[in-house]
Amino acid sequence: MVVVRFGGDVTPNTEVGLSPEVLARASLILQYVVSKNVEWLEPLGCSVDEYGFKCDFKSLSGEWPDERLVRRLEELAVKADAEGVEIVFEGFSTNELLKLLDHTGVYRVNGVSLYLEPEVKPSGDPIGAVLIKNVSSHNPLPDLSLVRLVGVAFRSREELNAWIEWYNEAVKRDHRLLGQKLDLFSFHDEAGSGLVIYHPKGQVIREELIKLMREVNKRLGYEEVYTPHVYKSILWRISGHYTLYRDKMVLAEVEGEEYGIKPMNCPGHILIYKTRMRSYKDLPIKFAEFGTVYRWEKRGELYGLLRVRGFTQDDGHAFLTEEQVKEEIKAILSEIMYVLSIFGIKANDIRVYLSTRPEKYIGTEEMWGKATEALRNALEELGIPYSVKEGEGAFYGPKIDVHFKDSIGRWWQCSTIQVDFALPERFGLEYIDKDNSRKRPVVIHRAILGSIERFMAIMIEEFEGKLPTWLSPVQVVVIPITKEVQQYADEVYRVLDEEGVRVIKDYEDETLQKKVRKAYDQAIPYIVIVGRKEAENRTVSVRGRGNIQVSNVPLELFVNELKNEIRERAVTQKALEVLKAKVGTQ
RNA sequence: GCCGCCGUAGCUCAGCCGGGUAGAGCACCGGCCUUGUAAGCCGGGGGUCGCGGGUUCGAAUCCCGCCGGCGGCUCCA
């Protein structure tokens, strides 16, 4: 039974009201003021999405807009619209470049023909504020580099200010900042970019996530294995990675033999399958591994923990008969939904995609049809809303991806279920069927968290660093009010420690205020304060997040409720709620 | 990899535009205070200004290259 707990109210609402119509109007007016004021920039149309507009221009002189010009354009756009701009829809362009950019909608703006993606209509009301966030290049073709202005626009300056406020708040949730502040992980020039160094606290989070996934693997029947990080290149030739993926692989020649660091775990698991003759009675066979893989992403593509070069997948491979595919997908999907519910991830912050057969593919249409239907039926039978990405599947099979949102609204793929017809073929995998014939099994690749790094980053941002207690590196800090009660504080510490709670004590020669402040800054879920009163009655004062305190809590009661909260992997501070109900607030 | 911006103490940043021997807050160390709930007071140590080259009498500051970071693009099998 799957319990889906969507809609958890643990995070502030990060949605901001950007109107596509307003963005569309701003896009046209921006192009208009460029056409009137910057003779070396040729407008090539704009597109609009839920986070702003993107306008492309061709630089006729090779110059690029600088900060000053950008600020001037913002002003000119608002000024022009205030003075009156007439926008008339003219039709659709058949220009090849505009078609390539999907900017085929043509509008006459004060007599100048300008372009916009056809899916959106400009607002009739004048814009009040434009902010160009960035000037970058857009390369729709390898040898074509366009100037791209990325920005937001609003009806009024007040709306812009509200957006800026939201944006500044969102930036504070950035996992890269929190990772440093909370002492979770770091990156170093000397180590190499995209290579994470986990500190003790970050490693605790990793371990908790892995522990959770071990439980999931057990339920799904995946047996954990362990495979090397480096294999001879011949293996990568067999798997096809050597030709398809070589530019992202780390290769090294040792003693006249070339080796490659693994970018994927599947070949290792396949070798296990191949160690003996398999019968239909053995299937499904499922292997899981917390496998660390290395993919040499290009430098500009790296991004905190969300895009790294070395990362650990909660990887798993199932070897199945065609008939077993649907059931397996359903089971995995259920577990994905269960795992997401543990983190209280809101439905708005998830997108599920089904990617279908691309133009270039291997296998038969029949195989693709069956596998795609299996994925689709699994989604529908579980009632999971999804969108279809036509032709976006891998060349080797269709897939389901689950994407989550980061603090500033960018989407990242985490969970994935991929059906694979290619690897069984390339490695010549077989099983003996009932009729004694040799059959080829289907392989499903699946990862539920996806990459531990990426998932951790999303969770840090989702919770603004204030992770649920079970995930928190430090769960309790014990603070004695004076030295006199240090002995009792020691006892409280020892009891918690012996019960397996991650507890620290703060005996610094500092004021109580400062220690409480420090604990809040470190996002420690429970601050336990003990003074003479507590020592006498064998109680504790418990301070939770949100400045909530419950006093006179019997020590044993606190320990038990805390242990429950951790065991249940509660999203909220459940123990605090229970204590509040039982003991009452101060 | 492409375009733009950025790199000053452990952290956050000022100084750079108009070159003249490096500063603040936090953190750290020491002392005072002996604490009842989100930064107590005083003092101290700490930086070849990312690296390399150039211009200059003189470079954190100007120029070039490299490394690293950020925002986009491309990519993410």
Side-chain angles (χ1 to χ4, degrees):
Chain A
M1 183 61 200
V2 184
V3 183
V4 180
R5 263 189 282 168
F6 288 148
D9 193 24
V10 285
T11 55
N13 181 16
T14 56
E15 297 300 329
V16 274
L18 277 166
S19 145
E21 292 78 22
V22 171
L23 293 169
R25 184 180 180 91
S27 303
L28 289 170
I29 291 170
L30 188 60
Q31 291 180 81
Y32 171 72
V33 298
V34 166
S35 75
K36 287 290 176 191
N37 296 281
V38 191
E39 62 287 343
W40 49 272
L41 279 179
E42 178 192 348
L44 288 172
C46 304
S47 59
V48 160
D49 63 25
E50 53 198 299
Y51 303 110
F53 62 76
K54 294 168 181 179
C55 289
D56 294 324
F57 302 87
K58 189 181 199 170
S59 173
L60 302 172
S61 63
E63 283 176 83
W64 282 77
D66 61 12
E67 174 100 27
R68 243 182 59 214
L69 175 59
V70 160
R71 298 283 88 90
R72 206 173 117 231
L73 290 174
E74 291 171 347
E75 277 176 37
L76 287 170
V78 174
K79 197 164 149 245
D81 208 9
E83 287 166 0
V85 172
E86 190 192 33
I87 298 177
V88 185
F89 179 65
E90 280 197 315
F92 297 102
S93 172
T94 53
N95 177 292
E96 285 303 317
L97 182 53
L98 292 174
K99 272 160 80 179
L100 174 73
L101 295 168
D102 189 32
H103 294 164
T104 51
V106 184
Y107 290 82
R108 195 155 267 274
V109 182
N110 279 357
V112 182
S113 284
L114 296 165
Y115 318 101
L116 188 62
E117 65 165 300
E119 289 81 10
V120 66
K121 294 226 175 333
S123 154
D125 304 325
I127 50 163
V130 178
L131 176 69
I132 295 169
K133 293 199 289 181
N134 187 236
V135 182
S136 70
S137 72
H138 177 52
N139 312 297
L141 295 171
D143 55 348
L144 180 62
S145 190
L146 303 176
V147 174
R148 169 165 279 193
L149 302 183
V150 180
V152 288
F154 302 88
R155 284 179 203 88
S156 65
R157 191 138 268 287
E158 289 68 47
E159 284 183 19
L160 170 64
N161 289 338
W163 181 88
I164 291 172
E165 201 177 310
W166 164 80
Y167 191 82
N168 289 337
E169 280 306 307
V171 166
K172 286 188 200 153
R173 304 163 71 90
D174 191 316
H175 74 279
R176 294 165 302 181
L177 299 178
L178 289 167
Q180 178 183 286
K181 186 178 156 207
L182 302 177
D183 195 17
L184 303 178
F185 55 83
S186 54
F187 293 93
H188 301 263
D189 286 9
E190 313 88 303
S193 36
L195 300 169
V196 195
I197 306 235
Y198 284 97
H199 300 11
K201 287 176 183 167
Q203 177 63 2
V204 168
I205 300 173
R206 257 174 75 86
E207 282 298 324
E208 283 294 341
L209 292 174
I210 287 174
K211 205 166 113 197
L212 171 68
M213 294 322 298
R214 286 209 163 103
E215 293 169 21
V216 170
N217 281 333
K218 193 167 177 217
R219 279 200 294 275
L220 287 170
Y222 285 74
E223 297 178 283
E224 196 168 326
V225 298
Y226 181 81
T227 64
H229 291 63
V230 182
Y231 298 93
K232 281 186 191 169
S233 286
I234 181 70
L235 183 77
W236 303 116
R237 286 180 201 276
I238 297 170
S239 69
H241 290 97
Y242 199 84
T243 39
L244 264 152
Y245 208 62
R246 189 177 176 178
D247 59 323
K248 289 199 176 180
M249 285 185 64
V250 182
L251 298 166
E253 191 161 309
V254 187
E255 292 175 344
E257 182 89 51
E258 191 183 53
Y259 288 81
I261 300 178
K262 67 175 169 185
M264 284 182 132
N265 300 301
C266 23
H269 296 187
I270 285 170
L271 293 180
I272 303 173
Y273 181 93
K274 275 176 73 87
T275 51
R276 59 182 61 211
M277 183 58 76
R278 307 288 182 173
S279 151
Y280 72 95
K281 288 180 242 171
D282 297 328
L283 302 187
I285 290 170
K286 307 176 195 176
F287 301 128
E289 177 171 7
F290 298 95
T292 304
V293 296
Y294 292 84
R295 302 178 183 180
W296 226 247
E297 308 288 354
K298 291 178 203 158
R299 228 172 62 71
E301 293 164 349
L302 302 174
Y303 184 82
L305 284 186
L306 285 165
R307 194 81 185 270
V308 287
R309 282 179 171 161
F311 59 98
T312 303
Q313 297 178 301
D314 61 320
D315 208 352
H317 296 93
F319 300 84
L320 312 157
T321 67
E322 272 184 33
E323 293 71 43
Q324 291 168 333
V325 169
K326 183 178 121 183
E327 199 187 327
E328 182 62 25
I329 293 164
K330 237 175 124 174
I332 297 165
L333 271 174
S334 299
E335 286 293 344
I336 290 173
M337 290 301 133
Y338 165 71
V339 168
L340 300 190
S341 77
I342 285 174
F343 295 94
I345 297 173
K346 288 174 284 182
N348 296 353
D349 293 348
I350 301 174
R351 283 181 185 169
V352 181
Y353 296 100
L354 169 63
S355 297
T356 61
R357 181 163 52 89
E359 278 177 33
K360 275 180 69 182
Y361 65 98
I362 64 133
T364 63
E365 276 190 41
E366 194 202 344
M367 287 163 101
W368 275 85
K370 274 191 198 165
T372 310
E373 275 319 290
L375 290 166
R376 188 190 300 276
N377 289 338
L379 284 165
E380 281 176 7
E381 283 169 32
L382 292 169
I384 298 168
Y386 65 97
S387 337
V388 176
K389 289 205 217 166
E390 292 292 348
E392 298 267 309
F395 72 94
Y396 55 73
K399 59 177 183 172
I400 291 172
D401 296 323
V402 183
H403 296 226
F404 305 143
K405 212 160 73 166
D406 72 11
S407 62
I408 54 171
R410 280 178 298 205
W411 292 88
W412 298 87
Q413 181 190 310
C414 291
S415 319
T416 181
I417 305 174
Q418 306 181 352
V419 180
D420 187 348
F421 309 124
L423 285 177
E425 186 86 32
R426 296 189 78 106
F427 281 92
L429 301 187
E430 291 179 330
Y431 66 91
I432 307 296
D433 210 350
K434 281 191 187 101
D435 59 3
N436 204 31
S437 66
R438 286 171 185 253
K439 291 266 172 64
R440 187 132 288 162
V442 174
V443 167
I444 287 182
H445 309 246
R446 51 107 267 205
I448 292 173
L449 303 180
S451 123
I452 309 268
E453 292 52 30
R454 183 174 285 185
F455 194 83
M456 193 191 295
I458 301 269
M459 287 309 110
I460 289 168
E461 301 203 348
E462 180 83 11
F463 292 105
E464 205 177 346
K466 300 183 206 67
L467 297 168
T469 307
W470 70 275
L471 259 187
S472 291
V474 175
Q475 296 168 320
V476 178
V477 55
V478 180
I479 305 179
I481 290 167
T482 62
K483 281 203 179 104
E484 298 163 34
V485 294
Q486 201 156 302
Q487 204 183 338
Y488 178 60
D490 275 332
E491 192 189 338
V492 172
Y493 171 86
R494 204 181 53 247
V495 169
L496 286 162
D497 186 50
E498 280 169 3
E499 293 289 349
V501 174
R502 293 190 289 267
V503 56
I504 60 169
K505 40 194 179 183
D506 188 349
Y507 292 179
E508 290 280 314
D509 187 16
E510 275 297 344
T511 59
L512 181 55
Q513 283 183 72
K514 189 161 183 175
K515 292 185 203 181
V516 169
R517 169 72 194 257
K518 202 166 89 187
Y520 272 116
D521 274 350
Q522 288 303 303
I524 298 170
Y526 287 101
I527 303 168
V528 164
I529 297 163
V530 296
R532 231 181 11 238
K533 221 167 57 188
E534 286 79 4
E536 278 165 17
N537 305 320
R538 203 179 156 76
T539 59
V540 288
S541 277
V542 181
R543 211 174 220 281
R545 287 170 175 156
N547 214 8
I548 297 167
Q549 172 160 326
V550 187
S551 302
N552 309 315
V553 179
L555 177 59
E556 271 64 36
L557 178 65
F558 171 63
V559 172
N560 284 332
E561 292 305 328
L562 181 65
K563 276 169 62 190
N564 283 340
E565 178 180 321
I566 293 167
R567 195 186 52 246
E568 292 172 20
R569 295 196 173 99
V571 181
T572 58
Q573 288 199 283
K574 210 183 144 205
L576 194 67
E577 296 305 313
V578 174
L579 295 179
K580 225 161 75 183
K582 284 193 178 166
V583 187
T585 42
Q586 187 179 34

